[in-house]
Amino acid sequence: MPLSLTPDNILHKTLHDRFSTTRSSCERAMLALTLQAFSEVQVRRQETQSRVRELSLQVQRTESQIMRMHTHLFGTSRSSDSTLNGLSLDKYSLADVRVIDTLNALLGGQESRLRATKEELALAEQRLATLVTAWATKF
């Protein structure tokens, strides 16, 4: 079955064909690095997609738990403000307050991991773009 004509497939075929036909050791080295970076980006994209799905579900569950706690405590969900101020602490049990604080900390960590996962992919894609640009302008 032939590969579809996506930009990634066209780039990979171009790089691979040039790698197979060039006699310049300098260009072959550059193309080898570029093909390696291309493979890394492909793997990272797959990993990132599954990791983003997983983290997004975790974030949704945590946000849902926070809203349920707010509904339990305040009688309404307060999705825009998930912190308790000092004046209202005396009305609620310390355990409930700790649960909300723990969930807020958990949510912050999940959102940070989600951003970091996307940034890792962006860095790998930037490295590939730099290598392709260097090869295209030098050879």
Side-chain angles (χ1 to χ4, degrees):
M1 183 171 140
L3 293 174
S4 59
L5 293 177
T6 65
D8 281 347
N9 290 341
I10 292 169
L11 175 62
H12 186 263
K13 180 160 180 34
T14 301
L15 294 171
H16 188 270
D17 289 352
R18 184 65 184 167
F19 181 81
S20 299
T21 59
T22 189
R23 294 182 183 198
S24 166
S25 60
C26 183
E27 185 178 7
R28 284 180 67 84
M30 177 67 87
L31 287 166
L33 285 173
T34 305
L35 287 167
Q36 181 181 5
F38 183 87
S39 296
E40 179 185 340
V41 166
Q42 295 300 94
V43 169
R44 287 213 185 218
R45 280 184 184 152
Q46 292 173 352
E47 290 173 351
T48 298
Q49 287 173 348
S50 64
R51 186 74 177 135
V52 164
R53 274 193 302 272
E54 176 186 324
L55 286 169
S56 295
L57 287 174
Q58 289 176 6
V59 165
Q60 288 175 353
R61 280 193 299 266
T62 303
E63 287 174 339
S64 175
Q65 289 175 322
I66 289 171
M67 283 199 251
R68 280 196 309 271
M69 284 300 298
H70 275 287
T71 301
H72 168 73
L73 291 174
F74 304 114
T76 180
S77 66
R78 295 174 48 185
S79 60
S80 63
D81 178 25
S82 59
T83 60
L84 297 173
N85 61 35
L87 299 175
S88 63
L89 292 179
D90 58 339
K91 296 181 187 177
Y92 309 103
S93 80
L94 191 56
D96 290 338
V97 172
R98 285 185 183 150
V99 168
I100 288 180
D101 285 344
T102 301
L103 288 172
N104 283 332
L106 180 63
L107 181 62
Q110 290 167 339
E111 289 172 341
S112 294
R113 285 191 295 280
L114 188 57
R115 277 190 306 276
T117 300
K118 290 177 181 179
E119 287 171 4
E120 286 175 8
L121 175 59
L123 288 172
E125 288 175 336
Q126 181 59 42
R127 180 174 177 258
L128 174 61
T130 301
L131 286 168
V132 169
T133 301
W135 168 71
T137 56
K138 182 159 175 111
F139 298 100

